[in-house]
Amino acid sequence: HAQATTATILLGQTPAGWHLTVTDNGRGFDVTRAGSDGGIGLKNLYARAQTIGATIDLDSDAGGTRIRVQG
């Protein structure tokens, strides 16, 4: 859907915990409207993160999307 040509996945650990960052160069989307079309992808992502006690930070614009999960 994103029409991305590249994606980067970074997994790291700090003394405070771990973090996973997924970034792409796709067309992005309006974060405030995410899921309003009936899609369940982001809803599932947030639910799974909550299950393991992680947090999600999501940024998206015309230059791409970045999702960072921290636990």
Side-chain angles (χ1 to χ4, degrees), residues 39-51 56:
I40 60 170
L42 287 177
K43 291 177 189 176
N44 282 340
L45 184 66
Y46 280 99
R48 290 174 186 256
Q50 184 179 20
T51 299
I56 294 180

Side-chain angles (χ1 to χ4, degrees), residues 27-71:
R27 62 187 173 121
F29 59 93
D30 183 350
V31 176
T32 63
R33 294 179 41 98
S36 64
D37 62 352
I40 60 170
L42 287 177
K43 291 177 189 176
N44 282 340
L45 184 66
Y46 280 99
R48 290 174 186 256
Q50 184 179 20
T51 299
I52 62 171
T55 60
I56 294 180
D57 178 43
L58 173 65
D59 294 309
S60 188
D61 60 30
T65 300
R66 180 183 63 87
I67 299 174
R68 183 177 174 129
V69 183
Q70 297 181 78

Side-chain angles (χ1 to χ4, degrees), residues 2-29:
Q3 299 174 347
T5 58
T6 62
T8 304
I9 301 170
L10 300 171
L11 177 62
Q13 186 171 0
T14 68
W18 57 269
H19 57 89
L20 170 70
T21 304
V22 180
T23 307
D24 72 33
N25 68 341
R27 62 187 173 121
F29 59 93

